[in-house]
Amino acid sequence: MVDITSKASSHRIAIAGAILKTTSEKTIAAVVNKTVPKGDVFEMAKAAGLLGIKRTSDVIPDCHPLPVEYAAIRYEIKELEIHIQVEVHTIYKTGVEVEAMHGASVVALTMYDMLKPIDKGLEICSIKLLEKKGGKSDYTDKFRKDLIAGVIVCSDSISAGKKEDKAGKTIIQKLQSLQVAVSEYSVIPDEEKEIQAKTLSLADKGVDLIILTGGTGLSPRDITPEAIRPLLDREIPGIMEAARSYGQDRMPFSMLSRGVAGLRGNTLILALPGSTRGAKESMDALFPFVLHLYRILESARHD
């Protein structure tokens, strides 16, 4: 199975459809009038479809077990065809497209089984995904493609050449995967004046995004939050709350991070943990979703 532990949960929706073709108006009438010998076709197929949705991971090997928060099965008769529509919602880290399609398949098969004694020419066709919402691509495609970022590594040991920087490079890799250009990458010691000077230099150049990594812990030299806060016009607490919540689900020490986020003019400044894992998880938690901020700054709608 694909590893989805790094993904963030979101509200995901999938709608799938299937078509059952009959050969006679008598078959359609029997379904509508509930005179099929095996019982009420619509209700029996609905019950089977709901079970199929919930048991998808039991029969499709690569599907993850996930919470089904909502499921609906709808029918529409068009001449000799019964059109089936299955809608599934979840709040989880992966989508429900296969669950919706599996549900539509089971509904169609149940109808086929119930109707075959009275209609030998039945045909199941056009089982397909009709719509999906809520995955990362829904958000990524809406972002500006001309954003420019600067990455600042705050570390005494790395700036002195005693350690190799991995956190900053992890951040850059994530940004590049989202088509955010990195114009500058710097390594500086944990000195308040140097942190402030470097951050102000990038902001004055009009960089859209400044990410600092390191100095957000509780040791005496961890001063990045204290250096950054005076530079912010507006702090955005929810950004780092989201990052800490995401991290806390994966390891119990994330609550000790003192990362901060806010705006200086239209430049977003983020102070992330200095550990490679902390930086990676923070980036996974926040991106690409935090980039919606630039649409808000342009007075765009939130939807």
Side-chain angles (χ1 to χ4, degrees):
M1 295 170 69
V2 174
D3 184 359
I4 61 171
T5 53
S6 65
K7 291 187 175 183
S9 293
S10 61
H11 183 190
R12 298 167 184 261
I13 302 169
I15 301 174
I19 298 173
L20 180 70
K21 292 184 177 180
T22 70
T23 63
S24 168
E25 291 182 359
K26 291 182 179 180
T27 303
I28 296 296
V31 173
V32 172
N33 297 326
K34 302 181 182 181
T35 58
V36 176
K38 287 191 174 184
D40 187 328
V41 174
F42 283 157
E43 289 303 313
M44 188 74 78
K46 178 180 178 181
L50 292 174
L51 290 173
I53 291 166
K54 291 186 284 186
R55 300 298 295 272
T56 300
S57 64
D58 290 343
V59 295
I60 309 296
D62 277 335
C63 280
H64 295 79
L66 50 74
V68 175
E69 311 283 358
Y70 171 79
I73 296 171
R74 296 180 282 269
Y75 307 111
E76 183 179 1
I77 294 174
K78 296 182 178 180
E79 297 180 349
L80 298 182
E81 296 178 348
I82 300 175
H83 289 241
I84 301 156
Q85 190 177 93
V86 176
E87 181 173 348
V88 183
H89 294 211
T90 188
I91 298 176
Y92 198 57
K93 294 177 283 188
T94 189
V96 283
E97 299 97 312
V98 177
E99 283 73 11
M101 294 179 70
H102 186 230
S105 302
V106 172
V107 170
L109 282 168
T110 302
M111 287 186 168
Y112 184 97
D113 178 64
M114 296 183 72
L115 294 174
K116 66 183 181 182
I118 64 172
D119 191 335
K120 302 301 181 182
L122 293 171
E123 179 185 354
I124 296 172
C125 61
S126 189
I127 297 172
K128 64 181 181 179
L129 181 68
L130 301 175
E131 183 180 345
K132 78 181 190 83
K133 297 179 182 178
K136 185 178 289 187
S137 61
D138 287 2
Y139 299 97
T140 303
D141 294 343
K142 297 178 180 179
F143 299 136
R144 282 173 47 189
K145 303 299 183 182
D146 60 345
L147 296 173
I148 299 174
V151 177
I152 304 171
V153 178
C154 305
S155 169
D156 290 333
S157 57
I158 295 174
S159 66
K162 297 178 181 178
K163 285 177 60 178
E164 178 188 356
D165 169 50
K166 294 181 180 180
K169 293 175 181 176
T170 296
I171 291 169
I172 291 172
Q173 184 178 18
K174 181 73 170 184
L175 291 173
Q176 291 175 338
S177 73
L178 297 169
Q179 300 179 46
V180 176
V182 179
S183 65
E184 188 165 342
Y185 163 67
S186 304
V187 178
I188 60 176
D190 291 303
E191 296 290 347
E192 183 174 353
K193 289 184 179 180
E194 288 198 48
I195 294 171
Q196 291 180 336
K198 194 64 185 177
T199 302
L200 289 172
S201 173
L202 288 173
D204 290 343
K205 292 177 182 177
V207 169
D208 300 292
L209 171 65
I210 301 171
I211 302 180
L212 301 98
T213 174
T216 62
L218 294 167
S219 74
R221 293 287 289 168
D222 288 333
I223 55 152
T224 302
E226 287 73 21
I228 293 302
R229 277 199 176 94
L231 308 183
L232 301 177
D233 298 326
R234 290 187 291 175
E235 191 168 346
I236 311 174
I239 292 178
M240 298 316 298
E241 288 170 8
R244 281 186 282 269
S245 176
Y246 179 96
Q248 194 68 21
D249 285 339
R250 289 155 177 80
M251 64 96 69
F253 303 142
S254 294
M255 62 179 145
L256 301 178
S257 173
R258 299 187 304 119
V260 297
L263 287 169
R264 181 178 178 84
N266 284 349
T267 298
L268 175 63
I269 302 174
L270 305 177
L272 305 184
S275 71
T276 305
R277 177 174 178 174
K280 181 183 185 304
E281 290 184 352
S282 296
M283 293 296 289
D284 288 338
L286 302 179
F287 289 83
F289 316 108
V290 75
L291 299 180
H292 179 61
L293 173 142
Y294 298 100
R295 287 173 56 84
I296 298 173
L297 292 176
E298 294 172 350
S299 300
R301 291 163 57 96
H302 286 267
D303 56 4

